[in-house]
Amino acid sequence: MAPKWYSSWSLSSWTVAAILILPLIFLINESLVPDKEVFEHLLNTVLTDYVINTVVLILAVVVISLLIGVPLAYLLANFSFPGAKFFNWGLLLPLAMPSYLMAYIYTDWLEYAGPVQRMLRTAFSWQSKSDYYFFDIRSLAGAAVVLSFVLFPYVFLIVKTAFKEQSISFLQAGKMLGKTPWQVFSKISLPLARPALAIAASLVAMETLADFAAVKYFAVNTLTTAVYDTWLGYGSLTAAAKISVIMLLMIFLFISLERISRRKQRTFSASSSTEIQTVKLQGKKAWFAFSASFIVLFFAFILPVIYLANMAWKYREQAINSDFFSYGFNSLTLAISVSFICLMLGLVIVVFKRFHQGMLASLPLKISSSGYAMPGTVLAIAVLLPLTFIDHGLNDFLIAQGKAPIGLILTGTLFAISFAYVIRFVAVAIGALESSYERISPSIDNASIMLGNNRLITLIKVHLPLIKRGGLTAMLLVFIESMKELPAALLLRPFNYETLATYVFQYVSDEQLELASMAAISIVLAGLIPIILLNRTMESK
């Protein structure tokens, strides 16, 4: 018979999973409610265009991200050249740049009144826009380019790992058969990396589908903005829930494709015995490799950071104000509390999986991690539904008892936004903790038990000291994600409550980023921390 503490841990694990999946259940239930007015109106007018825009945007971002990420991944996986060690992790830096900041920066540069077009008009004596053609940054194509700059590092990281794990014997065989380097890449390396390509593409697709800020800034109507506009514009949670379920079905498709690709990837990896060795480039080839890597990093990260840093310094007196400190404090306290809660809940889930044996051992973990796949706008609606139900039910009960209602104690407070953050980011904590537990051999558990320690003592005296780095990493990653989160904060924040992300986005929307430039550069600098951690993890392997 299992110890009582272990039974309590099992009950706690399933309870956590049930609470975290509750908003999704309410969302699906709400989507089944008939709505003949708003949803049918949207279906008959603009919803088809929203779906088409979403699909086109996803395809465009995936293609551009692959075109940028795959060549760089192959280059850095197979060759060494001046700066290669830096570019191996430096090309991940664009992940720290929020998409709405990139959208604002490139719009400011490339629009008609921006410095690029002004310089061209001066150089070629053009008088008006009709004298020449220039790429319209405020368009679906512009949104695709901006999002690709932010998301291509996912492709770079995943595909580079796949290239590095390929057997050198395959590449040597291609060279012995007289194949050119291009033929070796296109006929051998690329097909072997196909599962990784599918995984990277599906991840980019999901991130594109979830993006709200950039497409909103560019006025590109997608399903994400449709959820936002339907909820706030038409006041219909039911119609917004129906659109949200459509998005979830698309995400389910991407996840399914990714899992299929993972199964195929194991088959390819089984034949790999010796990892490839990098070839040192010299002369023109080395400079070409350096230039290609630097140009991408320059436009995707270095130039935007220089722009923000210069703006923050130039407008420091206006940007460093009471709002910056107040909203920074809000973001800080919210992120710290959410990271601690996620760590505790993640520990409950992971420890249960560690000790529990059976077919259902990993089910609470999978259920609890499902919220990370939900876009922020969808998550906001999903969270609002059960909390509204509880608030109204509690107030109705108090009124029936002849007592005064207590108001919206869940939906009108920080509880709603905190709950949404926990649902979305607990998967990050679970992943970090699970990774730490995978490094602990089961024999250590057996040795501890043979020495007379029960599972609780084993957890406290053996596991916790061994996973403390993973726990710290989990809290730090959740902290940074919470600092950057925008859609859920924008939709669920209490009245007169702002975070740094919502504060910056409002100024971006008003074309006045300079007034929030210090907050913007703070968000970017905070986003660098998990990238540095990721680089250290990769180097330690």
Side-chain angles (χ1 to χ4, degrees), residues 11-39:
L11 178 62
S12 300
S13 179
W14 284 101
T15 301
V16 169
I19 293 174
L20 295 179
I21 199 65
L22 187 63
L24 180 59
I25 296 174
F26 268 78
L27 179 68
I28 295 174
N29 179 70
E30 184 69 20
S31 70
L32 299 176
V33 176
D35 184 2
K36 295 183 178 180
E37 295 183 4
V38 177
F39 185 75

Side-chain angles (χ1 to χ4, degrees), residues 354 436-447 462-463 466:
R354 174 78 175 190
S436 294
Y437 261 109
E438 287 176 354
R439 298 188 182 96
I440 302 176
S441 173
S443 61
I444 295 180
D445 297 2
N446 297 332
V462 179
H463 290 176
L466 293 175

Side-chain angles (χ1 to χ4, degrees), residues 143-455:
V145 171
V146 166
L147 288 175
S148 298
F149 276 161
V150 176
L151 298 178
F152 86 85
Y154 288 118
V155 176
F156 170 75
L157 178 62
I158 295 171
V159 178
K160 186 185 70 171
T161 302
F163 283 145
K164 280 183 171 293
E165 293 176 350
Q166 290 177 0
S167 173
I168 193 173
S169 59
F170 291 123
L171 307 183
Q172 290 174 338
K175 294 177 181 178
M176 291 175 64
L177 291 173
K179 301 296 182 181
T180 64
W182 167 253
Q183 289 174 324
V184 171
F185 167 72
S186 60
K187 301 293 184 181
I188 299 176
S189 294
L190 203 57
L192 287 175
R194 186 170 54 189
L197 290 171
I199 294 170
S202 63
L203 181 58
V204 170
M206 285 191 292
E207 291 291 333
T208 304
L209 179 64
D211 183 81
F212 166 78
V215 293
K216 184 71 175 177
Y217 181 76
F218 284 146
V220 176
N221 294 319
T222 64
L223 289 175
T224 307
T225 58
V227 172
Y228 182 87
D229 294 337
T230 302
W231 180 6
L232 298 184
Y234 290 94
S236 176
L237 268 178
T238 300
K242 292 179 183 294
I243 299 173
S244 298
V245 170
I246 295 175
M247 295 178 65
L248 291 178
L249 291 175
M250 296 178 69
I251 291 173
F252 176 77
L253 175 62
F254 297 141
I255 294 175
S256 299
L257 291 174
E258 179 186 1
R259 289 179 178 175
I260 292 172
S261 299
R262 284 184 185 274
R263 288 198 294 267
K264 291 182 178 180
Q265 191 176 36
R266 295 191 190 103
T267 302
F268 286 119
S269 298
S271 60
S272 179
S273 57
T274 307
E275 293 186 359
I276 61 173
Q277 301 297 321
T278 58
V279 177
K280 187 174 182 179
L281 298 179
Q282 296 179 343
K284 293 181 179 179
K285 292 182 179 180
W287 280 110
F288 174 79
F290 175 85
S291 299
S293 302
F294 180 78
I295 288 172
V296 171
L297 183 60
F298 181 76
F299 286 105
F301 183 76
I302 297 175
L303 197 58
V305 167
I306 292 174
Y307 177 95
L308 285 177
N310 178 67
M311 181 181 288
W313 175 256
K314 185 177 180 180
Y315 294 94
R316 60 188 181 277
E317 293 183 0
Q318 297 96 318
I320 302 178
N321 51 36
S322 60
D323 287 343
F324 168 68
F325 290 107
S326 175
Y327 302 150
F329 178 77
N330 289 345
S331 293
L332 187 65
T333 53
L334 179 62
I336 290 175
S337 60
V338 169
S339 60
F340 180 76
I341 294 171
C342 286
L343 176 66
M344 294 296 101
L345 297 183
L347 191 61
V348 170
I349 297 294
V350 174
V351 169
F352 170 73
K353 182 187 176 185
R354 174 78 175 190
F355 286 141
H356 187 72
Q357 302 295 325
M359 296 178 59
L360 301 180
S362 61
L363 189 55
L365 185 147
K366 292 179 180 179
I367 293 174
S368 302
S369 301
S370 61
Y372 191 71
M374 298 174 65
T377 51
V378 174
L379 179 61
I381 292 177
V383 165
L384 190 65
L385 290 169
L387 297 188
T388 301
F389 177 81
I390 295 173
D391 270 342
H392 289 173
L394 182 59
N395 282 282
D396 290 343
F397 174 78
L398 291 175
I399 293 173
Q401 297 297 317
K403 299 180 180 179
I406 57 177
L408 303 177
I409 61 172
L410 299 180
T411 55
T413 65
L414 279 176
F415 182 86
I417 188 174
S418 301
F419 186 39
Y421 278 26
V422 169
I423 292 174
R424 181 160 172 77
F425 301 131
V426 71
V428 177
I430 289 174
L433 291 171
E434 191 176 20
S435 177
S436 294
Y437 261 109
E438 287 176 354
R439 298 188 182 96
I440 302 176
S441 173
S443 61
I444 295 180
D445 297 2
N446 297 332
S448 177
I449 293 174
M450 289 177 64
L451 291 173
N453 297 324
N454 59 30
R455 283 169 169 159

Side-chain angles (χ1 to χ4, degrees), residues 116-142:
V116 174
Q117 292 200 51
R118 289 203 312 267
M119 181 181 64
L120 290 174
R121 288 195 296 272
T122 300
F124 295 98
S125 299
W126 292 327
Q127 300 300 318
S128 65
K129 193 172 184 179
S130 60
D131 294 335
Y132 64 100
Y133 170 79
F134 194 84
F135 176 72
D136 184 10
I137 188 64
R138 285 184 178 271
S139 62
L140 191 148

